[in-house]
Amino acid sequence: MKTCWFIVLLWIVSTFSGAVFAQKTSDSLARQAYLPDCIQYALGHQPIVRQSVIDQEIAERTVQSSLAAWYPQIAAGYNLLHYLKLPVTLIPDATTGEKRPVTLGAQNTSTASFSLTQSIFNRDLLLASRTADTYRAQASQTTVRNKIDVVVNVSKAFYDVILTQRQVDILTEDIARLQRSLQDATNQYQGGIVDKTDPQRAKIALNNSRAQQKQYRDLVGSKVQTLKQLMGYPPNLTLNLTYDTLQLANEVALDTMLLVNPQSRIEYQLLQSQGQLLEANVRYNRWSYLPTVNAIANYNLLYQNNAFGQLFSQTFPNSLIGLSVALPIFQGGRRIQQTKIAELQVQRLNWDLVALTSAVDAEYAQALANYKGNLANYLALRENQLLAEDVYRIINLQYRSGIKTYLDVTIAEADLRTARLNVFNSLYQVLISKLDVQRALGAIQF
C-alpha cells in the first residue's frame, strides 16, 4: 500500500514539474535557433509588436464603443426632495383677476424615472459607422509596419552575430596554423637552419591573432544581447544560434530587374488610410448643418405628500413619447472654417504621398546600388580568398623546402587571414543591402 502511494506521489510531482518546466521553456529557444526561428519568436514576444496587437484591440473596442450609440439608450433615475420652504407662484384670482401668491407642491417629493432614447440621425454616429473599417485597417497596418521593422532589425542583428562568430572561427583556425608554423620555425632554428627572427615573427603573428580572437569573442556576447533585446528574448537565457554558411552564400541572389511600386509599401498604405479618415472628416464638417434627430420615451413615478411617513402611500405616474430635433441655424461661420481646415489637411496629406513616392524611388535606387556594389565586392573577395589559399599553400611548401623565407610565409598567412575575414564581412554587407532592397520594394509583408 505504501508503495502505491509512493508511485502516485511521484507521478503527481513529475506531472507538476513537467508542467512548470514546459511553462518556463515555452517562451525560450532551447533548441538550435535558425534565423526563421528568431524571427518567429520576435513576432510573438517583441514588446513593440505586442503593443501593436493591443492597440488593434483598443481600436476595435473604440469602434464598438462609438457604434454602440446607435442602439437604444436606457437610463433610470431617482431623487428624494424635502422642501424647507415650498415655492410660491402668482396665480390670478378667479373673481377679481388679481394675481395672488399661492403655495404649490408638497413638502416631500420623490421621483423614479425611466427614459429611453433612440438616435435616428446623428452626424457623429454617421462618421463612426463610415470610418469603422478604416480605423481597423489603420491599426492593422501599424502592426504590419512594426512587424516589418522587427524582421529587418532581427535579421541584421542575426547576421551580425554569426559574422562575428565566423570571424572567431577563422581566427581559431589561423591560430592553429600559426602554432604549427611557430613549432616548425622553432625546430628549424634549433637545427641551425634559420636564425631566431623566424620563430620571433611566428610568435608575433600568433600573439596578434590571439588578441584579435579575444576581441571578437567579447563582441559576440554583446551582439547576442543586442539580438535578444530586438527579439524580446529573456537576457538571462541561452540563445543557441545556428547557421549554414553555404545557405547564407546562396541567399545573396536577388532579382535586380524588379520595379519599385510605392503603393506596395506599408507606409504608403498607412497614408492612404489616414487620407480616408481625413476625407471622412471633411464630410463630417459639411454635415454640421444637418439636424440631430432622436426618439424619446419617458416614464416617471411621482410621489408627493406633506407627511414624510406617508410619502409613498400614493403615486402620480406620468409618461410621454416624443421626437426631438436639434437644428443648427447660425454658427458664426465656424462650419465653413472647420470644413476648410479639413480640406487643407487632405491637400497636405496628398503632398505627403507625393513626397513618400519620391523618397521610395530614391531609397530603392540607393539600396539597389549598394547591393550591386556589395555583391561585386563579395564575388571579387571570394576569388581573392581562393587565390590567397593557393598562394599560402605554395609558399609554405617552398619555405619547408628552403626556397622561401619565413617572412614570405608570414605575409602569405596575413593575406590569407585578411582574405577570409573580408569574405565574411562582404557577405554580411550583401545580406544587409539585400534586406534594404526588399524593404524598399515592399517585398517584406505580413
Tab-separated table of all heavy atoms in Angstrom, residues 19 44 61 76 82 101 130 149 162 173 180 185 223 252 279 288 311 331 359 365 375 388 394 409 411 413 429 434:
chain	number	residue	atom	x	y	z
A	19	ALA	N	4.886	20.347	-16.063
A	19	ALA	CA	4.066	21.491	-16.469
A	19	ALA	C	4.800	22.790	-16.229
A	19	ALA	O	4.785	23.702	-17.050
A	19	ALA	CB	2.733	21.479	-15.711
A	44	GLY	N	6.328	37.133	-31.847
A	44	GLY	CA	5.413	36.783	-30.768
A	44	GLY	C	5.758	37.390	-29.424
A	44	GLY	O	4.919	37.375	-28.516
A	61	ARG	N	-12.190	48.005	-29.813
A	61	ARG	CA	-13.091	48.369	-28.715
A	61	ARG	C	-13.592	49.804	-28.871
A	61	ARG	O	-14.747	50.106	-28.545
A	61	ARG	CB	-12.353	48.219	-27.381
A	61	ARG	CG	-11.855	46.823	-27.093
A	61	ARG	CD	-12.993	45.882	-26.774
A	61	ARG	NE	-12.505	44.552	-26.450
A	61	ARG	CZ	-13.278	43.536	-26.111
A	61	ARG	NH1	-14.594	43.704	-26.051
A	61	ARG	NH2	-12.769	42.349	-25.845
A	76	ALA	N	-32.133	55.221	-15.939
A	76	ALA	CA	-33.058	55.314	-14.803
A	76	ALA	C	-32.506	56.321	-13.810
A	76	ALA	O	-31.290	56.509	-13.707
A	76	ALA	CB	-33.248	53.957	-14.139
A	82	HIS	N	-36.972	67.207	-0.010
A	82	HIS	CA	-37.751	67.749	1.109
A	82	HIS	C	-37.618	69.271	1.060
A	82	HIS	O	-36.516	69.818	1.174
A	82	HIS	CB	-37.232	67.225	2.455
A	82	HIS	CG	-37.870	67.902	3.630
A	82	HIS	ND1	-39.183	67.652	4.001
A	82	HIS	CD2	-37.385	68.838	4.511
A	82	HIS	CE1	-39.477	68.392	5.051
A	82	HIS	NE2	-38.403	69.125	5.382
A	101	PRO	N	-50.294	85.405	-4.375
A	101	PRO	CA	-49.319	84.313	-4.160
A	101	PRO	C	-50.004	83.059	-3.632
A	101	PRO	O	-50.821	83.112	-2.723
A	101	PRO	CB	-48.362	84.893	-3.131
A	101	PRO	CG	-49.148	85.945	-2.412
A	101	PRO	CD	-50.124	86.496	-3.407
A	130	ARG	N	-19.097	55.029	-40.769
A	130	ARG	CA	-18.438	55.046	-42.080
A	130	ARG	C	-16.914	54.915	-41.986
A	130	ARG	O	-16.277	54.576	-42.980
A	130	ARG	CB	-18.797	56.341	-42.816
A	130	ARG	CG	-20.266	56.415	-43.204
A	130	ARG	CD	-20.510	57.504	-44.235
A	130	ARG	NE	-21.894	57.521	-44.688
A	130	ARG	CZ	-22.354	58.288	-45.676
A	130	ARG	NH1	-21.517	59.113	-46.306
A	130	ARG	NH2	-23.615	58.236	-46.033
A	149	ASP	N	9.586	46.121	-39.349
A	149	ASP	CA	10.766	46.678	-38.677
A	149	ASP	C	11.452	45.611	-37.826
A	149	ASP	O	12.693	45.523	-37.806
A	149	ASP	CB	10.359	47.865	-37.797
A	149	ASP	CG	9.901	49.064	-38.606
A	149	ASP	OD1	10.259	49.138	-39.804
A	149	ASP	OD2	9.184	49.922	-38.053
A	162	ILE	N	26.390	36.085	-36.346
A	162	ILE	CA	27.035	34.925	-36.969
A	162	ILE	C	28.282	35.346	-37.732
A	162	ILE	O	29.231	34.554	-37.855
A	162	ILE	CB	26.054	34.177	-37.894
A	162	ILE	CG1	25.601	35.063	-39.066
A	162	ILE	CG2	24.861	33.679	-37.107
A	162	ILE	CD1	24.710	34.325	-40.045
A	173	GLU	N	41.184	28.872	-36.459
A	173	GLU	CA	41.926	28.092	-37.454
A	173	GLU	C	43.280	28.734	-37.750
A	173	GLU	O	44.293	28.031	-37.923
A	173	GLU	CB	41.097	27.980	-38.735
A	173	GLU	CG	39.786	27.234	-38.555
A	173	GLU	CD	38.900	27.325	-39.780
A	173	GLU	OE1	39.339	27.937	-40.783
A	173	GLU	OE2	37.778	26.789	-39.742
A	180	ARG	N	51.478	25.749	-35.570
A	180	ARG	CA	52.296	24.795	-36.311
A	180	ARG	C	53.497	25.488	-36.952
A	180	ARG	O	54.617	24.959	-36.955
A	180	ARG	CB	51.447	24.105	-37.387
A	180	ARG	CG	50.400	23.155	-36.831
A	180	ARG	CD	49.822	22.276	-37.920
A	180	ARG	NE	49.179	23.067	-38.959
A	180	ARG	CZ	47.895	23.379	-38.968
A	180	ARG	NH1	47.123	22.992	-37.955
A	180	ARG	NH2	47.384	24.099	-39.948
A	185	ALA	N	59.182	26.742	-37.186
A	185	ALA	CA	60.256	27.730	-37.164
A	185	ALA	C	61.195	27.489	-35.986
A	185	ALA	O	62.419	27.643	-36.100
A	185	ALA	CB	59.669	29.136	-37.105
A	223	LYS	N	26.835	41.386	-28.960
A	223	LYS	CA	25.924	41.365	-30.111
A	223	LYS	C	24.782	40.366	-29.899
A	223	LYS	O	23.669	40.597	-30.387
A	223	LYS	CB	26.703	41.043	-31.380
A	223	LYS	CG	27.642	42.169	-31.792
A	223	LYS	CD	28.415	41.858	-33.057
A	223	LYS	CE	29.308	43.038	-33.444
A	223	LYS	NZ	30.068	42.799	-34.689
A	252	VAL	N	22.375	35.347	-51.341
A	252	VAL	CA	22.786	36.676	-51.804
A	252	VAL	C	22.099	37.063	-53.110
A	252	VAL	O	22.054	38.252	-53.459
A	252	VAL	CB	24.314	36.751	-51.981
A	252	VAL	CG1	25.016	36.473	-50.671
A	252	VAL	CG2	24.789	35.779	-53.060
A	279	GLU	N	-10.704	62.590	-45.339
A	279	GLU	CA	-11.828	62.857	-46.244
A	279	GLU	C	-13.158	62.662	-45.533
A	279	GLU	O	-14.117	63.410	-45.776
A	279	GLU	CB	-11.726	61.943	-47.467
A	279	GLU	CG	-10.558	62.295	-48.398
A	279	GLU	CD	-10.397	61.286	-49.507
A	279	GLU	OE1	-11.127	60.270	-49.484
A	279	GLU	OE2	-9.549	61.507	-50.396
A	288	SER	N	-22.483	69.567	-40.722
A	288	SER	CA	-22.779	70.267	-39.470
A	288	SER	C	-24.091	71.044	-39.536
A	288	SER	O	-24.618	71.436	-38.495
A	288	SER	CB	-21.634	71.220	-39.113
A	288	SER	OG	-21.461	72.190	-40.127
A	311	LEU	N	-45.252	59.411	2.430
A	311	LEU	CA	-44.810	59.877	1.105
A	311	LEU	C	-45.133	58.878	0.010
A	311	LEU	O	-45.587	59.248	-1.077
A	311	LEU	CB	-43.298	60.154	1.140
A	311	LEU	CG	-42.642	60.542	-0.192
A	311	LEU	CD1	-43.265	61.819	-0.758
A	311	LEU	CD2	-41.136	60.713	-0.020
A	331	GLN	N	-23.885	79.507	-36.886
A	331	GLN	CA	-22.749	79.133	-36.040
A	331	GLN	C	-21.605	80.133	-36.131
A	331	GLN	O	-20.474	79.818	-35.747
A	331	GLN	CB	-22.239	77.735	-36.444
A	331	GLN	CG	-23.293	76.636	-36.283
A	331	GLN	CD	-22.809	75.297	-36.804
A	331	GLN	OE1	-21.972	75.237	-37.688
A	331	GLN	NE2	-23.360	74.219	-36.254
A	359	ALA	N	10.589	59.620	-52.160
A	359	ALA	CA	11.543	59.047	-51.214
A	359	ALA	C	11.718	57.551	-51.440
A	359	ALA	O	12.834	57.026	-51.321
A	359	ALA	CB	11.079	59.316	-49.783
A	365	ALA	N	16.659	53.150	-55.309
A	365	ALA	CA	17.833	53.342	-56.164
A	365	ALA	C	19.118	53.224	-55.356
A	365	ALA	O	20.086	52.575	-55.781
A	365	ALA	CB	17.755	54.692	-56.863
A	375	LEU	N	27.667	43.146	-53.821
A	375	LEU	CA	27.713	41.826	-54.445
A	375	LEU	C	28.973	41.667	-55.294
A	375	LEU	O	29.644	40.621	-55.247
A	375	LEU	CB	26.461	41.608	-55.303
A	375	LEU	CG	26.371	40.261	-56.032
A	375	LEU	CD1	26.365	39.113	-55.013
A	375	LEU	CD2	25.129	40.211	-56.916
A	388	ALA	N	44.447	33.448	-52.305
A	388	ALA	CA	45.282	33.545	-51.112
A	388	ALA	C	45.559	32.178	-50.521
A	388	ALA	O	46.669	31.916	-50.020
A	388	ALA	CB	44.599	34.445	-50.083
A	394	ILE	N	51.460	27.197	-51.541
A	394	ILE	CA	52.699	27.085	-52.321
A	394	ILE	C	53.885	27.650	-51.548
A	394	ILE	O	54.955	27.028	-51.467
A	394	ILE	CB	52.530	27.805	-53.677
A	394	ILE	CG1	51.468	27.081	-54.516
A	394	ILE	CG2	53.860	27.875	-54.424
A	394	ILE	CD1	51.117	27.808	-55.796
A	409	VAL	N	56.252	33.568	-45.698
A	409	VAL	CA	55.167	32.788	-45.096
A	409	VAL	C	54.277	33.684	-44.235
A	409	VAL	O	53.043	33.586	-44.255
A	409	VAL	CB	55.740	31.628	-44.261
A	409	VAL	CG1	54.623	30.865	-43.557
A	409	VAL	CG2	56.537	30.680	-45.137
A	411	ILE	N	53.748	36.883	-44.524
A	411	ILE	CA	52.926	37.744	-45.396
A	411	ILE	C	51.784	36.946	-45.997
A	411	ILE	O	50.640	37.412	-46.069
A	411	ILE	CB	53.808	38.377	-46.487
A	411	ILE	CG1	54.832	39.317	-45.846
A	411	ILE	CG2	52.948	39.123	-47.491
A	411	ILE	CD1	55.837	39.876	-46.824
A	413	GLU	N	50.367	34.236	-44.789
A	413	GLU	CA	49.392	33.947	-43.737
A	413	GLU	C	48.512	35.162	-43.442
A	413	GLU	O	47.290	35.044	-43.264
A	413	GLU	CB	50.118	33.509	-42.462
A	413	GLU	CG	50.687	32.101	-42.527
A	413	GLU	CD	51.457	31.751	-41.271
A	413	GLU	OE1	51.871	32.696	-40.556
A	413	GLU	OE2	51.630	30.550	-41.005
A	429	GLN	N	27.633	42.480	-45.644
A	429	GLN	CA	27.187	43.701	-46.315
A	429	GLN	C	26.189	43.390	-47.428
A	429	GLN	O	25.218	44.124	-47.630
A	429	GLN	CB	28.393	44.464	-46.873
A	429	GLN	CG	29.351	44.989	-45.816
A	429	GLN	CD	28.694	45.967	-44.873
A	429	GLN	OE1	27.775	46.700	-45.263
A	429	GLN	NE2	29.162	45.994	-43.626
A	434	LYS	N	20.709	43.521	-49.263
A	434	LYS	CA	19.571	42.815	-49.851
A	434	LYS	C	18.296	43.069	-49.042
A	434	LYS	O	17.210	43.268	-49.615
A	434	LYS	CB	19.868	41.312	-49.912
A	434	LYS	CG	18.724	40.482	-50.478
A	434	LYS	CD	19.033	39.007	-50.438
A	434	LYS	CE	17.840	38.195	-50.927
A	434	LYS	NZ	18.093	36.731	-50.861
